Amino acid sequence: MHSKTFGAIIALATAFAFATPATAQAAPEPSAADTSPDSAADSGETGNGELIVTARRRDETVQDVPIAISVVGGEQIDNTGAFNVGRLQQLAPTLQFYSSNPRNSAANIRGLGAPFGLTNDGIEQGVGIYVDDVYYSRAASSTFDFLDVAQIEVLRGPQGTLYGKNTTAGAINITTRQPTFTFEGRAELTIGNLGFTQAKAAISGPLSDTLAARLAISSTSRHGTLFNVTSGNRINEQDNLGLRAQLLWQPADGLEVTLAGDFNRQDPECCGTVYVRTGLTQRALNRQYAALSAALNYQVVSTNPFDRLTDIDADLNAGNSIGGASLRIKWDVGPGTLTSVTAWRFWDWKPENDRDFTGLPIVTRSQNPSQQDQYTQEIRYAQSGRALSFVVGAFAYHQRIDTQGLEQHGPASSRWNINPSNPLAFDPTVLDGLTAFNTQALSNTSLALFGQASWHVTDALTIQPGLRVNHDRKSGVYDRQVFDGQGQPVLLGATGARRAAQLAIFSPQSYRPSGSDWNLSYDLTLSYELGSDLFAYATYAKTFKSFGINQNGVPNDASGVPALAAQTILPESLNHYEAGIKTQFWDRRGTFNLSIFRTDISNYQAQVINGQFGTVRGYLANADAVRTQGFEADFALRPSDRVNLYLRGAYTDATYRRFIDAPCPPELSGGGSGAVIGAPGTPGTNSPAFCDISGQRLPGVSKYSLSYGVEINQPAELFGKSGEFYAGLDGSYRSDWSSNPSPSAYSWINGYALTNMRLGFRTDEGLDLFGWVRNAFDVNHYEALNVPGGNTGLITGQVGDPRTWGLTAKAQF
């Protein structure tokens, strides 16, 4: 671990020590964002159905919002260990999250959002992440710890007529705890196995009659779950530090000005993989993993991935920092509220990776550090009335990303990558030291006008139209220069077998993609009160994901010139249909919500391969059609103050409807070219140039997913303190899913269930002490499987956490 952040932990532990009943003061009345119950089994809805959400940019009860929405309270987040988006997916079944490192991270909802495993700065995320109304464009933000969070709303389906940045798949709306004019504080300290230490603290109170402040800090550290026998280090550790400060100025009734700033840092030795298996490809047998490993006298450290051993030999680093500042003004003007949100955010990424996934010096350096600055300005006016409610707004967004990439090969590369029938395969100097320098830059500007109205035709019927007009402009730079081990440039058109072998690894290229486009989105929702606590709605939405530009290279044509026709990618076009019911029963002790949906996408943005540019190299382009459909159910029951339970489930059928030029799975790759195609996994046969995967499932999507939990409590006294003992269980299940964009027999991940348990005592004065076990049954599972390049048949993986356990102490005062 590069930094243990001991100072932060000690400071937080000190704060916790002072958070005793003797010094506790009366807590203020909870705000709307704090009305969820303390029970960690909370379904996101209180027993009387009065949980307030801001999904439609105004305060409403969750049961009155005609949107498929899951709400997770801050207490549930803390008590279940769901301290980032990756862990949040265990509580929200239709949320999928995958991450091989912070940059290669993405959140999908209902199978949509970002192409699985595809990292390209030139395309947009389909799931918007918002923190206190500020849009976070970098998916890396989803790997950081939640900091002083009051509640999280996961909105499913397009939200472009409500939110500043267009979101085609959904939005994750995070609300943090706000400054208060009554003194309050929170402190939490957790210790566990694997050296796990997490400390959190927050303090809030008045600085004057009109000025209040809040300061929060969080620190997380844990030993790595993998042991690297090459370095002798435990890797894939956690090392996070987060700070957030807010000032609230209320100079008059109806006017709030909030200045906020945050800084988050991660510095782990991460992210490594383990050997999982091999599978035969159509490459010649002497060029597959077993033969190549034997030729280089290499034997992997363990063939059992759950030994959690690796021998990767390149340096690893996932160090990055993210933060920014925002100014939010809320002003009651006339019958509504005018809100202005001005924000700047940055992200600095300093990675080092092992891109050959072995203990051999094939790729010895792989790093693509980048720096991002983002500026946003949103202005909106929202009004709630008896006959008409509406929100209208304008949004401006500018993003700048600069990347400096470097990839270098080592002495084992020649033997691994060059056909052994070529004598150059036995000359390490051919590829040793071969280096590619990649310079990339992106300028991304978006302007939008959006609005949504709710016309209450009768007390029961509401008609809700929405509209969005969007303009996007993007320009970029891609420049790759290649040098051999002697520092000499490797140029296109160079002659000789040595240069040909080097150009087969790295090809120099330079181009400047750019484009601009206008798009129109609209939606219509009808909702109807069928009876007391029974609500139905239906929605149609026509929306888009903006066009993209290729920032990772395009094919060269037959003359070696970049195929500039491939530098831009058409926008995705979506038609979305949804219907649902929301109901409460048994004096609102029970809640049942059901939604059904279908989304049809044309021009789906994905990695494709075709011969239209005189090459079969993969590049980012458009697949013809994708569809996702299914249903979701949320059930919660609180039969008494002693018992609280929830069950959430989803069925998701997400498939490529027409994708005829997709990359082939590994069992159909690596062979020669010819009219006669060999059977999958038959060495030495011909492979298709591209594959038709129409009808097959989208990657990362489980057809069935569940989350469930129960908590029971019993009033009692302990050491003279009144309170309650409680026991809780939270579980999640997801069925099998594909971990490769083109489904492969080698990369399906079997379904699995994870179970978390806790047992504790909390007092009426705000103290809470509990022990917990996560993945209680020590289920071996994968977070992802990887298919390294080269068609050698190697499959590596990221294994999920083993059983972990610990003790948490919390106090509120």
Side-chain angles (χ1 to χ4, degrees):
M1 184 177 297
H2 299 292
S3 172
K4 298 290 187 180
T5 61
F6 282 126
I9 295 172
I10 292 171
L12 291 169
T14 303
F16 178 80
F18 282 100
T20 64
T23 61
Q25 299 184 18
E29 291 298 314
S31 67
D34 292 323
T35 57
S36 58
D38 288 341
S39 167
D42 175 26
S43 68
E45 299 167 357
T46 62
N48 61 8
E50 292 302 318
L51 178 65
I52 303 300
V53 297
T54 58
R56 292 196 295 177
R57 302 309 198 185
R58 53 185 182 266
D59 292 345
E60 302 172 286
T61 62
V62 68
Q63 289 300 104
D64 291 334
V65 179
I67 297 173
I69 179 173
S70 298
V71 185
V72 182
E75 293 296 330
Q76 187 180 16
I77 292 168
D78 292 341
N79 292 350
T80 59
F83 53 81
N84 59 31
V85 173
R87 291 173 178 255
L88 183 65
Q89 68 177 336
Q90 294 185 27
L91 301 175
T94 51
L95 174 66
Q96 300 97 28
F97 178 81
Y98 42 87
S99 175
S100 58
N101 59 46
R103 183 175 186 266
N104 296 346
S105 302
N108 280 4
I109 293 176
R110 297 171 171 173
L112 304 178
F116 183 92
L118 178 59
T119 301
N120 194 307
D121 291 330
I123 60 174
E124 306 282 348
Q125 299 291 319
V127 175
I129 298 176
Y130 295 84
V131 180
D132 291 340
D133 290 346
V134 176
Y135 174 68
Y136 284 37
S137 64
R138 297 304 305 188
S141 62
S142 58
T143 67
F144 283 92
D145 294 354
F146 295 139
L147 183 58
D148 203 23
V149 168
Q151 73 179 30
I152 298 176
E153 303 162 12
V154 180
L155 288 70
R156 308 188 289 272
Q159 306 297 329
T161 62
L162 278 173
Y163 285 76
K165 197 74 172 71
N166 196 33
T167 53
T168 56
I172 300 172
N173 187 29
I174 300 172
T175 303
T176 69
R177 298 182 177 99
Q178 298 298 294
T180 59
F181 282 93
T182 303
F183 177 75
E184 69 172 33
R186 295 170 176 264
E188 177 181 324
L189 180 64
T190 298
I191 57 174
N193 67 325
L194 296 176
F196 181 74
T197 305
Q198 186 174 69
K200 303 177 182 179
I203 191 167
S204 179
L207 301 179
S208 71
D209 291 342
T210 60
L211 190 65
R214 188 177 192 95
L215 177 65
I217 183 172
S218 172
S219 175
T220 303
S221 63
R222 192 186 74 177
H223 299 325
T225 54
L226 301 183
F227 182 74
N228 188 345
V229 299
T230 300
S231 66
N233 296 336
R234 289 195 169 274
I235 63 172
N236 295 5
E237 59 192 359
Q238 294 176 5
D239 186 7
N240 303 342
L241 176 67
L243 302 167
R244 185 175 183 85
Q246 299 179 81
L247 284 175
L248 171 62
W249 181 43
Q250 292 183 336
D253 290 342
L255 178 60
E256 295 181 357
V257 180
T258 304
L259 177 65
D262 67 280
F263 174 79
N264 302 269
R265 179 200 50 75
Q266 293 178 327
D267 194 21
E269 186 175 354
C270 187
C271 300
T273 58
V274 295
Y275 172 98
V276 174
R277 66 173 71 97
T278 59
L280 289 174
T281 72
Q282 291 176 320
R283 203 179 196 191
L285 197 60
N286 65 351
R287 301 194 66 192
Q288 300 207 32
Y289 178 83
L292 292 172
S293 297
L296 289 163
N297 297 314
Y298 171 69
Q299 185 172 355
V300 68
V301 62
S302 174
T303 58
N304 179 0
F306 296 103
D307 286 342
R308 300 179 186 274
L309 297 174
T310 188
D311 60 354
I312 52 179
D313 59 333
D315 291 337
L316 295 180
N317 187 15
N320 69 118
S321 58
I322 194 167
S326 65
L327 180 67
R328 181 172 59 182
I329 303 171
K330 298 179 69 174
W331 184 20
D332 292 342
V333 178
T337 300
L338 180 68
T339 302
S340 171
V341 183
T342 306
W344 160 74
R345 299 205 60 75
F346 73 88
W347 180 55
D348 290 335
W349 169 232
K350 302 175 182 179
E352 294 179 278
N353 302 292
D354 190 324
R355 284 304 178 207
D356 59 53
F357 300 91
T358 72
L360 291 167
I362 302 168
V363 180
T364 53
R365 298 177 69 187
S366 178
Q367 52 200 54
N368 284 275
S370 64
Q371 307 81 41
Q372 179 208 251
D373 283 287
Q374 168 197 313
Y375 304 88
T376 56
Q377 174 64 59
E378 183 172 350
I379 299 175
R380 64 178 184 269
Y381 185 77
Q383 174 187 324
S384 297
R386 182 175 178 83
L388 182 67
S389 301
F390 66 86
V391 57
V392 293
F395 180 73
Y397 165 85
H398 180 72
Q399 176 190 46
R400 170 77 187 198
I401 304 176
D402 292 283
T403 302
Q404 309 84 36
L406 183 152
E407 188 166 354
Q408 188 173 79
H409 280 232
S413 182
S414 294
R415 185 65 185 87
W416 190 269
N417 288 297
I418 300 175
N419 192 322
S421 63
N422 185 339
L424 293 179
F426 303 92
D427 181 355
T429 67
V430 176
L431 298 182
D432 187 16
L434 182 70
T435 305
F437 296 94
N438 300 326
T439 300
Q440 299 178 42
L442 171 70
S443 177
N444 182 4
T445 301
S446 180
L447 303 172
L449 297 174
F450 61 93
Q452 189 179 92
S454 296
W455 176 32
H456 310 296
V457 181
T458 68
D459 289 342
L461 175 63
T462 299
I463 300 175
Q464 178 182 287
L467 184 68
R468 178 187 185 90
V469 179
N470 208 96
H471 178 69
D472 293 285
R473 179 178 296 274
K474 298 177 183 178
S475 61
V477 171
Y478 178 84
D479 182 71
R480 167 177 278 196
Q481 298 183 27
V482 182
F483 298 87
D484 63 17
Q486 290 71 48
Q488 298 301 309
V490 178
L491 305 175
L492 286 174
T495 58
R498 192 180 186 90
R499 279 292 187 257
Q502 294 166 347
L503 286 169
I505 302 296
F506 294 135
S507 176
Q509 188 176 85
S510 182
Y511 66 99
R512 293 177 175 267
S514 64
S516 63
D517 197 14
W518 288 89
N519 290 99
L520 178 70
S521 295
Y522 50 89
D523 54 49
L524 178 66
T525 298
L526 303 179
S527 58
Y528 195 83
E529 296 280 354
L530 296 171
S532 177
D533 294 324
L534 181 58
F535 175 79
Y537 67 92
T539 297
Y540 167 73
K542 174 69 173 179
T543 187
F544 71 96
K545 182 194 285 188
S546 68
F547 81 98
I549 59 176
N550 265 305
Q551 282 291 100
N552 291 348
V554 297
N556 288 329
D557 63 19
S559 62
V561 177
L564 298 184
Q567 67 180 331
T568 59
I569 305 97
L570 294 173
E572 292 182 356
S573 178
L574 290 84
N575 286 285
H576 174 76
Y577 313 86
E578 184 162 338
I581 61 169
K582 296 189 174 187
T583 182
Q584 292 185 297
F585 53 91
W586 196 9
D587 295 328
R588 295 189 175 180
R589 298 176 189 177
T591 300
F592 178 74
N593 297 335
L594 177 68
S595 60
I596 58 174
F597 65 90
R598 173 172 171 151
T599 305
D600 294 299
I601 304 176
S602 58
N603 293 323
Y604 180 76
Q605 294 171 353
Q607 187 89 347
V608 308
I609 295 179
N610 63 43
Q612 64 175 305
F613 301 113
T615 179
V616 293
R617 172 185 168 176
Y619 60 99
L620 186 62
N622 300 97
D624 288 333
V626 159
R627 183 202 66 203
T628 179
Q629 61 185 7
F631 65 85
E632 301 151 338
D634 294 89
F635 172 75
L637 186 66
R638 184 171 296 190
S640 72
D641 292 340
R642 307 277 72 82
V643 180
N644 187 19
L645 56 90
Y646 69 91
L647 172 65
R648 307 182 183 112
Y651 168 78
T652 307
D653 174 25
T655 57
Y656 301 105
R657 302 315 300 157
R658 179 176 166 81
F659 193 0
I660 61 174
D661 51 359
C664 291
E667 58 266 38
L668 277 170
S669 301
S673 59
V676 179
I677 304 301
T682 304
T685 59
N686 294 330
S687 294
F690 45 85
C691 285
D692 183 352
I693 60 173
S694 303
Q696 298 195 47
R697 199 190 310 177
L698 289 177
V701 182
S702 297
K703 280 194 172 183
Y704 303 97
S705 54
L706 293 171
S707 63
Y708 44 89
V710 61
E711 183 177 289
I712 59 175
N713 64 72
Q714 177 62 46
E717 287 193 2
L718 183 65
F719 302 121
K721 302 296 183 183
S722 62
E724 59 186 22
F725 286 102
Y726 63 92
L729 178 147
D730 294 275
S732 63
Y733 168 77
R734 62 182 305 189
S735 61
D736 66 347
W737 53 285
S738 169
S739 190
N740 195 57
S742 295
S744 165
Y746 306 146
S747 59
W748 281 95
I749 294 179
N750 293 330
Y752 55 85
L754 302 177
T755 304
N756 303 329
M757 300 178 182
R758 62 193 175 281
L759 179 67
F761 180 82
R762 51 184 169 234
T763 73
D764 298 336
E765 298 169 322
L767 292 177
D768 189 358
L769 180 67
F770 65 94
W772 49 265
V773 181
R774 293 167 189 151
N775 189 7
F777 300 109
D778 200 21
V779 174
N780 289 331
H781 63 288
Y782 296 105
E783 293 183 346
L785 295 178
N786 312 299
V787 181
N791 301 309
T792 67
L794 174 62
I795 306 295
T796 64
Q798 298 161 247
V799 293
D801 284 353
R803 178 193 296 119
T804 58
W805 48 265
L807 183 69
T808 296
K810 301 196 298 183
Q812 299 181 40
F813 55 93

